Amino acid sequence: MFSSVWNFVKRHKRKFIFTGAVVGGVYFLGKYAQKKIREIQEKEATDYIAQARRQFHFESNQRTCNMTVLSMLPPLKEAIINQLNSENLTALLKTKPANKLEIWEDLKILSFTRTVVGVYSTCMLVVLLRVQLNIIGGYLYLDNSIGKNTMTPLAPPDVQQQYLSSIQHLLGDGRMEMYTKQLLIISLLVGSMSLKQSLSLLELEQQLSWIRAEVESGSERPLSWYMLADDENALADQACGLTENDAVTIRLLNETRDMLDSPDFSTVLNACLNRGFSRLLDNLAEFFRPPPGDSAPSSAADSLAAVSLPLAKIIPIVNGQINTICSETPSHFVQDLLMNDQVKEFAANVYETFSAPQELQK
C-alpha cells in the first residue's frame, strides 16, 4: 500500500510541486492584499480625520472673521464721523443762522460722502479681514498639525499682531485718500443739484451709480491701494519693532498684497460693493413709499419712480445711513456682506492655499 502511494507521488511529483507553489502563492498574495487593503483603509481614515479637523478649524476661523469685522465697525464708524462731521452742521441749522443755505450745501456734500465712504470702507474691511485671517488661519493650522517637524512656527504671536495691525492703513491713510477722492467726485456730481430738486428712488440710484463709476474707473490707484500700503518702505515700517520676525511679517504682507491684486479679489470686492449699494437703496426705499390709499405701481420700474422727494428731505435720510452701514450689531447690511456666497468661496480658497502642506516648502 505504501509503495503504491509512493509510486503515485513520484509519477505526479511535478503536479504536486506546481499545485503547492500556486496554493502558497495565492496564500501569500492574499496576505499581501489584506495588508495593502488595511493600509489603504487606515490612510483613508487618517485623511478623513485630517480633513474633518481642517474643516472644523476653517469654520471656526470664519466665525472669528465675522466677530472681528463686527468689532472693527465701531472704530471705523467713529473715524468716518470724526472726519465727516455732519452733526455739527445739523446743530448749527437748528440755531437758524444767516448762512443757512451755505450750511445746507455743505451738509448735502458731507451726507452723501460719508455714506458712500461708509459703504466702500465696510465692504473693504469685510474682504480684507477675510484674506488676512484666512492666511493666518492656514498657517496656524499647519503650526498645530500633528507631525509637523519644525521648531519655527509659521505665524508666531508677535508676527500675527504686527501683521493684523496693517488694517490701520484702511482706517487711516487709506480712508483719508478715499475720502478726499470721493468728496471731490460727489462735490462735482451732487454739488450742482438744487436743494428743492425732487428725486425719485430711481434717480437717486442713478446718482449713486455715477458716483461709483467715477470712483472705480480711470483711477491712478486700484481700490486695493486703500486697504494695504503699497510700497516696500511702508511694508518695512509696518514690520518695525520686531527683530527675528521682520522677514516673516513682511512675507505675510507681500502675500496679502498678491491676493489683493488678484482678479478673484477684484471680483469678490465688486460683488460686495454691488450688494452693499443694493442694500443701501433698500434702506432708502423705506422712505419712498407711496402714501396709503394710492394705487400700487404696475411694475418694479414704476415703483422706483412713483415717489419723489425734495433733495432737502433726502439729505437727512442719507446722512443717517452710516449708523446702519457701520453697525456693530449684525444689521441686514453687514449680514449681507458676511454671508455673501462669493466671499465665503474666496475665503475657502485662501484658507486652502495657505493651509496646504506644500506651503511649508516655500
Side-chain angles (χ1 to χ4, degrees):
M1 177 179 176
F2 288 109
S3 61
S4 61
V5 171
W6 175 246
N7 290 332
F8 176 81
V9 170
K10 283 197 298 182
R11 285 197 306 271
H12 299 281
K13 179 173 64 174
R14 290 185 179 181
K15 294 181 181 180
F16 279 115
I17 293 173
F18 177 77
T19 303
V22 171
V23 171
V26 170
Y27 174 79
F28 285 110
L29 184 61
K31 285 290 187 181
Y32 178 78
Q34 289 177 354
K35 180 183 177 183
K36 283 299 180 183
I37 291 172
R38 188 162 55 248
E39 288 177 355
I40 291 171
Q41 289 174 337
E42 289 174 354
K43 185 178 183 303
E44 288 178 346
T46 301
D47 290 346
Y48 176 80
I49 292 171
Q51 184 60 34
R53 180 172 173 271
R54 194 177 182 190
Q55 181 65 27
F56 177 80
H57 186 265
F58 169 73
E59 292 172 356
S60 176
N61 199 54
Q62 302 325 293
R63 290 190 291 271
T64 300
C65 287
N66 293 342
M67 295 305 296
T68 304
V69 168
L70 294 175
S71 70
M72 292 296 296
L73 287 176
L76 175 62
K77 175 183 171 182
E78 182 180 2
I80 294 173
I81 289 177
N82 287 341
Q83 188 66 44
L84 300 165
N85 194 334
S86 60
E87 281 70 23
N88 289 342
L89 296 180
T90 55
L92 279 175
L93 286 174
K94 292 178 181 179
T95 65
K96 298 181 180 180
N99 60 339
K100 181 179 178 180
L101 182 59
E102 180 183 343
I103 295 173
W104 265 105
E105 290 294 331
D106 290 341
L107 181 61
K108 175 178 65 177
I109 302 301
L110 280 183
S111 298
F112 276 89
T113 303
R114 81 175 189 173
T115 296
V116 171
V117 169
V119 173
Y120 273 96
S121 298
T122 303
C123 291
M124 290 175 175
L125 181 69
V126 167
V127 186
L128 176 58
L129 283 175
R130 272 290 190 278
V131 172
Q132 288 191 302
L133 290 176
N134 278 291
I135 289 177
I136 287 289
Y139 282 143
L140 285 177
Y141 173 79
L142 291 176
D143 283 337
N144 296 323
S145 292
I146 299 174
K148 178 179 176 297
N149 298 316
T150 177
M151 297 301 293
T152 304
L154 294 168
D158 288 347
V159 169
Q160 294 177 45
Q161 183 177 0
Q162 189 68 27
Y163 167 63
L164 293 175
S165 70
S166 63
I167 196 73
Q168 293 303 318
H169 181 77
L170 176 58
L171 301 180
D173 293 345
R175 181 188 52 79
M176 284 291 294
E177 286 277 347
M178 183 165 50
Y179 146 71
T180 302
K181 178 179 180 178
Q182 294 181 7
L183 180 64
L184 176 61
I185 291 171
I186 290 171
S187 296
L188 293 173
L189 293 177
V190 181
S192 60
M193 298 171 62
S194 169
L195 294 170
K196 296 180 180 179
Q197 180 177 344
S198 292
L199 294 174
S200 66
L201 188 62
L202 180 61
E203 290 168 328
L204 191 56
E205 181 182 14
Q206 290 172 342
Q207 289 292 330
L208 291 173
S209 296
W210 290 336
I211 292 171
R212 276 197 67 184
E214 290 296 322
V215 169
E216 297 172 31
S217 64
S219 174
E220 67 282 2
R221 290 191 177 114
L223 291 177
S224 60
W225 184 91
Y226 301 112
M227 290 177 264
L228 194 70
D230 188 38
D231 58 87
E232 290 295 330
N233 291 331
L235 292 176
D237 289 343
Q238 290 174 1
C240 68
L242 299 177
T243 54
E244 299 178 1
N245 295 323
D246 282 0
V248 180
T249 304
I250 293 176
R251 175 173 60 81
L252 289 174
L253 291 167
N254 283 328
E255 287 171 340
T256 304
R257 168 57 60 192
D258 290 342
M259 282 289 175
L260 300 190
D261 290 341
S262 69
D264 287 346
F265 180 85
S266 298
T267 299
V268 173
L269 178 58
N270 189 62
C272 279
L273 290 170
N274 290 340
R275 191 66 199 109
F277 278 99
S278 176
R279 174 54 68 177
L280 172 63
L281 285 167
D282 289 343
N283 293 343
L284 296 175
E286 296 296 322
F287 300 90
F288 284 82
R289 294 185 180 278
D294 284 14
S295 58
S298 58
S299 67
D302 291 339
S303 66
L304 292 176
V307 177
S308 296
L309 296 176
L311 186 56
K313 287 190 175 181
I314 295 174
I315 290 171
I317 298 171
V318 172
N319 189 52
Q321 292 303 307
I322 192 68
N323 297 311
T324 300
I325 295 169
C326 296
S327 173
E328 63 271 27
T329 56
S331 64
H332 289 299
F333 185 94
V334 178
Q335 287 281 33
D336 282 357
L337 301 180
L338 295 178
M339 298 295 107
N340 184 283
D341 288 338
Q342 286 179 274
V343 172
K344 290 180 177 180
E345 182 179 353
F346 182 65
N349 290 338
V350 174
Y351 183 87
E352 179 75 18
T353 299
F354 289 93
S355 65
Q358 56 264 29
E359 285 293 316
L360 291 169
Q361 303 171 4
K362 290 187 177 182

